[in-house]
Amino acid sequence: MKAWRHYAVVILFLLGCSGVAARVVYLNITERAFLQEQGDARAVRAQTLPAYRGVIYDRNGEPLAISTPTMAVWTDPSLVRLDGESVAALAGVLGVPARELQQQLDAAGRREFLYLARRLPWEQAQRVKALELKGVYLQREYRRYYPAAEIAAHVVGVTDVDEAGIEGVELAFDDRLRGQHGRKVVLQDRRGEVIKDLEFVRAPRFGSDMHLSLDLRLQYLAYREIKAAVLANGARSGSLVMLDAHTGEVLAMVNEPSYNPNDLSSGTREGMRNRAVTDTYEPGSTMKPFTALAALESGAYSPTTEIDTSPGYFSVGRKLIQDTGNLGTVSLTRALQKSSQVAFAKVALTLPDRAVFDVMNRAGLGQFVGTGLPGEAAGSLSEWGLDKPIVRATLAYGYGLAVSPLQLARAYVTLANDGVPLPVSILKHDPDAPVTGTPVFAAEQTRAVLHMMEAVTEKNGTAPRASVAGYRVAGKTGTARKVGAAGYDDERHVTLFAGIAPVSNPRLVMVVVINEPAGAAQGGGGVAAPVFGRVAARALRVLGEPPDDLLLAEGAGR
């Protein structure tokens, strides 16, 4: 009886084994593809090999934007549903409310991929890993870091969470900076750990590094001063553009308000706008050097030609043009030094209809600069109405057109470079490749205008606070009323100063714009010119430019 039971068990066991073996053979023949697919779906994964985004440097090799390794946390809601205890533990490590994380998981439904957190530091990612939660995985990625923060934010720009450029150079040159992600196929265990690399589909291609024309030292000086000026004058905003007069390179470009690209939650969209290239203003009296140049080109005027401005005002049609006082009879140089509206309006009305317009047009006003920076404004300079005396008169002192700070700086580069316009670049030039251009003004006449502009920064000029000890400085102030709902608003102004230094061998061209100052000082000489003076004094020494004020040098040598 016992022997029978023994044999019965053995027979049943053999039959069971035979059945299993038969089933295996059957499935291997009829369902092989399906089973292989199901096995791979649970253990074989395609992984992205993140590409390293190119580094952005300043002209001296200082990093302005670099990519640092971080980790992302993700899950597959279609395969795994986290319980309440797991959600609470994960939320604690990630520093988010558990309820918010649970809502995120519930909203995902049956999606196969869901990010739970991005850009986690390595230490925090290791704490997530230590939880050993089933269905929660880590993935390497990069996060952009900006060492100069808000100082260079408007030029360098920022990327989104996927490291795609959305502002500044990061956006303008995204194709060069962005690499191409690689891909590999791996075998994972049930925890999501990689057991084996099965196949490398594509290697990552890293992005290209870029060297900007910015000098971080000058950028810091400019930002510090423009921020201080905006705060001190209770202004709405401020911008500063500094160009190299030899090459057209942008050495500094700053705006206030700014933002911190490392923490976008602390800023606003208003602070992210690069006002130096996107915002346009009527430039006011900063256009008078171009009117003076048109006068010299006509052959009817020289720097010493006298103009009668008495009694300090005159009418053009129904428009009254006036100075702050009666300057009497003044030379063209003196008119520029004292910024006489009457003198320049009278000069313009004696010239051919298109004379002043043509000079401004040749200087590049109302035309795209072409740096490639996002949102660059073209400004406006129209020939409409040049047959009307009032249009020609007001154009002579900077009304009736609109320019950005960058456009104004480019126009002044042409004055500083003997009448030769230069392409403005945000990228560092090859020092072995000379920058050239076709002259649009006679060198002799631009030098004469430059010498006339020196009088503006002298003691009796409108901008003595733009002067720099030891250096010859040429420049021009500007104060323009802003247009409101009822026309020009006497309570809202934009103040400007555009300058060149040193005059004997121009190196720097700088434009300072302070928008809507609310302090006691209102004019360009009291608000914008001091910013130029402070920045230029330090910048010229940082760049090692020798003093060119011969009178001061002779006095120091005695």
Side-chain angles (χ1 to χ4, degrees):
M1 188 67 177
K2 291 182 179 180
W4 178 83
R5 290 179 178 175
H6 171 75
Y7 287 119
V9 171
V10 171
I11 292 172
L12 290 175
F13 176 75
L14 292 175
L15 288 173
C17 290
S18 299
V20 171
R23 182 61 177 171
V24 169
V25 172
Y26 172 78
L27 292 176
N28 194 48
I29 295 174
T30 62
E31 303 289 342
R32 180 182 180 87
F34 173 77
L35 294 173
Q36 184 69 46
E37 180 181 344
Q38 292 300 306
D40 289 347
R42 289 163 173 76
V44 177
R45 291 285 185 272
Q47 282 192 348
T48 297
L49 299 174
Y52 189 83
R53 190 173 176 87
V55 179
I56 300 177
Y57 297 98
D58 85 333
R59 64 185 305 106
N60 299 312
E62 292 292 331
L64 299 175
I66 58 177
S67 293
T68 58
T70 59
M71 301 294 285
V73 182
W74 66 278
T75 187
D76 184 347
S78 68
L79 296 178
V80 177
R81 303 299 294 181
L82 299 179
D83 58 31
E85 184 178 346
S86 298
V87 170
L90 182 58
V93 174
L94 296 180
V96 299
R99 182 179 180 182
E100 181 180 311
L101 183 59
Q102 185 64 61
Q103 290 174 346
Q104 185 181 1
L105 288 165
D106 293 341
R110 302 297 294 174
R111 286 170 53 184
E112 295 183 354
F113 187 94
L114 174 67
Y115 278 120
L116 300 177
R118 304 289 301 274
R119 296 178 171 183
L120 290 186
W122 180 261
E123 297 80 6
Q124 191 176 7
Q126 293 310 300
R127 294 201 298 273
V128 172
K129 184 178 180 180
L131 295 176
E132 297 186 348
L133 299 177
K134 183 180 179 181
V136 176
Y137 311 107
L138 295 175
Q139 176 180 301
R140 180 182 291 273
E141 61 180 3
Y142 290 100
R143 176 179 182 174
R144 209 64 163 160
Y145 174 65
Y146 301 93
E150 68 269 20
I151 293 172
H154 291 111
V155 177
V156 178
V158 68
T159 62
D160 63 13
V161 70
D162 293 312
E163 280 218 317
I166 56 175
E167 290 288 348
V169 168
E170 294 277 32
L171 172 59
F173 299 94
D174 187 59
D175 290 343
R176 287 178 56 177
L177 291 164
R178 181 178 53 197
Q180 183 179 6
H181 294 319
R183 197 168 182 81
K184 69 177 180 178
V185 179
V186 300
L187 182 67
Q188 296 180 335
D189 62 14
R190 62 185 183 85
R191 295 181 179 179
E193 299 288 343
V194 175
I195 300 173
K196 183 181 180 181
D197 291 332
L198 299 179
E199 179 186 4
F200 282 91
V201 179
R202 183 179 63 247
R205 179 179 60 80
F206 293 162
S208 301
D209 295 343
M210 295 185 65
H211 286 79
L212 302 188
S213 58
L214 291 187
D215 187 321
L216 189 55
R217 301 169 300 175
L218 306 183
Q219 187 81 3
Y220 171 77
L221 291 174
Y223 179 69
R224 182 181 65 183
E225 293 297 339
I226 205 72
K227 184 173 184 178
V230 168
L231 292 174
N233 291 282
R236 181 175 179 180
S237 63
S239 300
L240 184 153
V241 177
M242 183 192 300
L243 303 182
D244 189 317
H246 295 159
T247 65
E249 293 171 290
V250 178
L251 298 177
M253 179 185 288
V254 297
N255 301 278
E256 175 60 28
S258 185
Y259 69 100
N260 184 356
N262 297 309
D263 182 15
L264 294 182
S265 64
S266 63
T268 64
R269 296 297 300 179
E270 182 74 6
M272 294 180 72
R273 191 167 79 248
N274 187 355
R275 300 169 186 272
V277 302
T278 65
D279 290 14
T280 60
Y281 311 90
E282 286 185 301
S285 295
T286 58
M287 291 295 99
K288 288 175 181 172
F290 298 99
T291 303
L293 183 55
L296 297 183
E297 285 188 342
S298 72
Y301 290 86
S302 73
T304 58
T305 300
E306 293 188 337
I307 305 147
D308 183 10
T309 68
S310 297
Y313 57 88
F314 82 116
S315 295
V316 180
R318 291 182 296 176
K319 169 71 175 178
L320 181 67
I321 297 174
Q322 56 187 337
D323 291 333
T324 54
N326 184 6
L327 297 175
T329 299
V330 294
S331 68
L332 186 60
T333 299
R334 178 75 169 168
L336 189 64
Q337 182 187 40
K338 290 298 186 181
S339 198
S340 170
Q341 311 282 69
V342 171
F344 279 93
K346 285 187 172 182
V347 167
L349 293 177
T350 65
L351 301 176
D353 290 359
R354 294 180 57 91
V356 174
F357 169 84
D358 284 342
V359 167
M360 293 180 180
N361 186 56
R362 277 180 278 154
L365 297 168
Q367 302 168 24
F368 279 110
V369 177
T371 60
L373 289 172
E376 183 183 302
S380 64
L381 176 64
S382 173
E383 53 188 319
W384 179 87
L386 291 178
D387 58 326
K388 299 178 174 62
I390 188 59
V391 172
R392 300 198 303 277
T394 54
L395 184 64
Y397 53 83
Y399 281 85
L401 74 161
V403 301
S404 69
L406 180 62
Q407 284 180 314
L408 183 57
R410 178 181 64 173
Y412 269 66
V413 164
T414 305
L415 292 179
N417 199 43
D418 288 342
V420 179
L422 297 177
V424 175
S425 175
I426 196 63
L427 303 181
K428 183 180 180 181
H429 279 308
D430 181 353
D432 297 325
V435 180
T436 59
T438 302
V440 294
F441 305 123
E444 181 180 354
Q445 290 169 348
T446 56
R447 289 172 190 162
V449 170
L450 214 59
H451 182 67
M452 293 166 61
M453 291 165 64
E454 282 191 77
V456 174
T457 63
E458 293 175 353
K459 184 178 180 180
N460 294 323
T462 57
R465 296 176 67 183
S467 62
V468 179
Y471 295 89
R472 295 168 58 194
V473 175
K476 187 65 193 76
T477 55
T479 305
R481 291 178 298 164
K482 299 189 72 173
V483 178
Y488 284 105
D489 188 340
D490 290 334
E491 301 300 321
R492 297 166 59 236
H493 299 77
V494 55
T495 63
L496 309 95
F497 185 84
I500 299 164
V503 172
S504 61
N505 182 25
R507 177 66 191 280
L508 298 180
V509 171
M510 194 188 317
V511 169
V512 179
V513 177
I514 305 296
N515 182 30
E516 296 188 31
Q522 291 288 308
V527 178
V531 179
F532 175 96
R534 290 190 292 269
V535 175
R538 293 171 175 84
L540 290 168
R541 289 169 174 81
V542 166
L543 295 173
E545 285 295 315
D548 67 336
D549 189 323
L550 300 181
L551 293 177
L552 186 142
E554 289 174 1
R558 292 194 183 99

